[in-house]
Every structure is written in structure tokens, then in C-alpha cells.
Amino acid sequence: MSRIAMTGVGRFAAVTAVLLLAGILLVWTRHDAREAQMLSRLSLVSSLRSGGILAEFNSVRSDAVLWSGFCNVSQRLMDLDEARGDLGPGATERLQRLYLTANPYPEGERHLLSDAADGSRYSGIHAEFHPRIGEFLSVHDYYDLFLVDPAGRVVYSFYKEEEFGSDLVAGPWKDTGAGRAARAARVLGEGQTAISDFEPYEPSRGQWAMFLAAPITLSGGPGNKGALMFQLDARRLGLHLPRIQTRSAPAETVLLGSSYRILGQAPWIEATETEGSSLDAVARARAVEGGEGSALLETESGDRVLAAWNPISFEGMSWVVLTSIDASAIWADGASERRAIALIGLLVWLAGAVLTLGRRRPQELGQHRL
């Protein structure tokens, strides 16, 4: 083989190596670009979800402040409290018997009883007031509404669960979120609210619940305060956390609390002690240390995840909105692009091979003639 032929083969080998290296660099450059693009998208989604959830919290607070300041609400609280007093020393037991134990409707449907028909003033007020509260809850999507008198007794609740009629200050539910929010509200000023974080709530069959309460100042001076209190379930916030579907996998957004995560689909909430991940812990830590951010993270199990996080603070409590997607989905999404790069590279390589071999053959023939 002549030196000219060897030179042609060497050039072809060099071009092949350059094409291969360029293809690899192009694939990884495009992959990095897609990761950066996805991180930017996740950051935007996380920011929007954070804004939506914070707006939801502010809406609940506004409702509580607005309705607690209405004269007819404070009047209803006073009327119900006085009517409860008319029932005598056994008022709590009588109300719980009428609306809980002797309620003709089963647990979960007790709210269907508007009038206990016992002839008491309390039942008369309740029959007139109760249907309107049902309409309010339906429109505003609250789990329940409570009116708490200055002594801390629940003189009204819509769904009539086990805390109805009881004392939230010193009674059996004083250490629940409902008890803490109701007690805190009694010492607040006008326009202020108290909130308890999500936790399992036994009267609601152990479902996770959050409570937000606003003070109601009654006649007798600023120290005579009851409270209007809303109960929220995790579903309400979970509706603000829909998934984003990419070509290969969904991007998930969750709201991280101190010991739980709220999901964007049913079941709406889960405890992190048993079902949380190292990703949750890393995102919470980074949000606390440096605020919002995004990064490619690796979990304890070795999975690589693209994640973006945003902290939320409301009434002294903090949460983190975390949006994430498996990094392998980005690689899968680029499969068609890699095939196109490989095909173009192959065509260039074949063209080079044809040209190289085409030059080599006439040279070899000429050598044979000599």
C-alpha cells in the first residue's frame, strides 16, 4: 500500500474520531441544556404554586377577619351562648345528646339535622342559622366552621363532630389544633388571626386538619372575646399542586410541612416519618438556609432528581413548595434528538468513507499497471 493510500486511511480515521468526539460533545451539551431548561421550568412552576398557596392562606385569613367582624355573626354567637345557658347546668350533655348521640342521622351526616325539635331557644336559633352556614361552606369550600364562646366552648359547628359543645380551653380537645387556635384567638386584636398547622385531628376520624381562628369581640368590653374558626383539609391546598406531564414522566409538586407532605392528588396528605424521602429533607434545609433555588440532586437511593423549591411563611409558620422530576426523564426526552445526531453523523461518516475509498482505488489500480 502506498504512502498516499496510508495517508488517506489515516485522514479518514482522524475524521472518524473527530466526528465521534463531536457527536458525544453535542449530545452532552444538548443534555445539559435540556436540564437547565427543565430546572428553569421547575423554578417557574414552584414559584407559581407558592404564590397560589400563599394566596389561598390569605383568602382564608381575609374570610375569617371579614366574617368575625360582621355584627350578625357576633350577635349569633351571643344568642347561641345565651340559649345554651338557658339549658342549665347540663347544657353540654343535652346539646351533645340532641345533635350527636340522639341525632337521627349517622356520623358523617349529622349536619343534615337543622332542628332538634326539642322546643328550646337554642334549637330555634340553630334551625334558622344552620342552613345558611351550609351554603357558606359550600361556596367557600371550608371543611367546617365553629363559633366558640368566651369560655372556650364550641356553641356551634356545622358538621357536629365530637368537639361540638365541648370546652376547647380545658376540655378533651384542648391540645389539638382546634384547641390551640381557639385559645390563641381569644387574646388577639381586631384584624388578627391565629393558625394551627396540619396534624391528624381525632374528632374528624383522624383526618389531617388545619384551623384558622379570628377573635369576635362581644358586648362587655374588649376582654370579652369569642372566636370564629375555620377547619381546612389538605385537599384544599392539594388542588393547587397539579402535576406537569413531560414526554416521559410527570413533574410532581408537593407542599412540605414539618412532618408531612401535601400531594397534588388523592390521598392528599401523608406523614413524612414513614413515607418521606431524603429529597424532602434536602429541599427543606436548602430553603431554610438560602430561600428559593433549584439543583440536580442525588437521593440516598442513588436516584438523580431535578428539583426546585420555594419557602412560604404565613402567620409564623413555614412550608416549602417542592417541584421535582426524575433526571432520567430528561435523558429519555432527548432520545429522538440523539437518534437524529447519530444519523447525521453516520451519513457524514459514510460520505467520507466513499470519498476516501474512491480516491484510494484508482491509485491502487495505477500502481498495478506500473
Side-chain angles (χ1 to χ4, degrees):
M1 186 180 293
S2 69
R3 183 177 298 178
I4 295 174
M6 287 296 294
T7 302
V9 172
R11 287 176 180 173
F12 177 66
V15 169
T16 299
V18 169
L19 281 174
L20 182 60
L21 180 59
I24 292 173
L25 290 175
L26 181 58
V27 166
W28 282 109
T29 300
R30 291 296 302 149
H31 178 69
D32 289 345
R34 282 194 300 273
E35 280 193 350
Q37 184 180 28
M38 179 55 73
L39 282 174
S40 177
R41 185 180 179 190
L42 294 178
S43 296
L44 176 60
V45 171
S46 182
S47 177
L48 292 174
R49 300 288 187 262
S50 300
I53 291 174
L54 190 57
E56 188 69 47
F57 281 134
N58 282 313
S59 175
V60 176
R61 176 169 57 189
S62 295
D63 281 348
V65 171
L66 177 66
W67 288 89
S68 65
F70 280 174
C71 294
N72 59 338
V73 173
S74 60
Q75 187 62 52
R76 278 289 177 261
L77 175 55
M78 288 189 291
D79 291 344
L80 288 168
D81 194 32
E82 291 173 0
R84 180 193 180 281
D86 293 343
L87 297 176
T92 296
E93 292 75 13
R94 182 172 175 180
L95 287 176
Q96 290 180 340
R97 184 178 69 256
L98 289 171
Y99 291 93
L100 300 182
T101 58
N103 192 316
Y105 296 99
E107 183 180 2
E109 298 180 7
R110 292 171 180 154
H111 62 283
L112 297 177
L113 179 64
S114 291
D115 189 353
D118 65 329
S120 67
R121 182 185 174 209
Y122 182 95
S123 293
I125 297 172
H126 186 280
E128 186 269 334
F129 182 61
H130 188 68
R132 287 188 284 170
I133 295 300
E135 293 175 2
F136 173 85
L137 293 180
S138 177
V139 170
H140 294 271
D141 198 25
Y142 292 113
Y143 181 90
D144 206 349
L145 179 148
F146 302 82
L147 291 179
V148 183
D149 73 6
R153 294 179 294 244
V154 180
V155 297
Y156 175 82
S157 71
F158 182 77
Y159 278 103
K160 300 300 183 295
E161 294 182 326
E162 300 304 314
E163 75 284 273
F164 172 68
S166 66
D167 181 355
L168 292 178
V169 173
W173 313 116
K174 63 182 178 66
D175 294 324
T176 65
R180 289 190 291 273
R183 286 198 304 277
R186 300 193 316 160
V187 298
L188 296 178
E190 184 178 350
Q192 295 180 308
T193 55
I195 189 174
S196 73
D197 203 352
F198 278 103
E199 62 183 42
Y201 184 56
E202 188 176 342
S204 296
R205 302 173 296 284
Q207 296 181 50
W208 290 71
M210 168 185 280
F211 296 88
L212 187 141
I216 298 177
T217 301
L218 305 176
S219 60
N224 190 31
K225 293 181 180 177
L228 177 146
M229 185 163 63
F230 294 133
Q231 179 178 343
L232 291 78
D233 59 7
R235 176 195 59 83
R236 181 171 179 139
L237 296 182
L239 292 173
H240 290 270
L241 304 169
R243 288 187 171 191
I244 301 171
Q245 186 65 44
T246 67
R247 294 177 199 164
S248 305
E252 181 183 51
T253 304
V254 297
L255 179 65
L256 302 177
S258 57
S259 61
Y260 64 87
R261 63 211 307 261
I262 296 178
L263 313 175
Q265 71 283 332
W268 298 102
I269 198 166
E270 61 184 22
T272 56
E273 290 90 349
T274 57
E275 300 181 42
S277 69
S278 58
L279 179 62
D280 293 352
V282 170
R284 282 187 62 83
R286 293 202 178 191
V288 169
E289 292 172 4
E292 64 183 79
S294 63
L296 173 63
L297 304 176
E298 187 169 327
T299 65
E300 292 177 351
S301 60
D303 296 327
R304 298 170 76 247
V305 179
L306 295 169
W309 52 87
N310 277 72
I312 294 177
S313 295
F314 180 80
E315 297 284 11
M317 294 190 178
S318 299
W319 300 269
V320 173
V321 174
L322 170 65
T323 304
S324 61
I325 189 170
D326 193 322
S328 62
I330 307 302
W331 181 259
D333 282 347
S336 60
E337 187 178 88
R338 290 195 301 275
R339 285 194 294 269
I341 292 173
L343 179 60
I344 293 172
L346 178 60
L347 291 174
V348 172
W349 182 84
L350 288 174
V354 169
L355 292 173
T356 301
L357 293 176
R359 291 195 192 99
R360 180 184 172 188
R361 184 168 181 79
Q363 292 164 358
E364 290 177 346
L365 290 174
Q367 290 173 1
H368 287 310
R369 290 193 186 99
L370 292 173

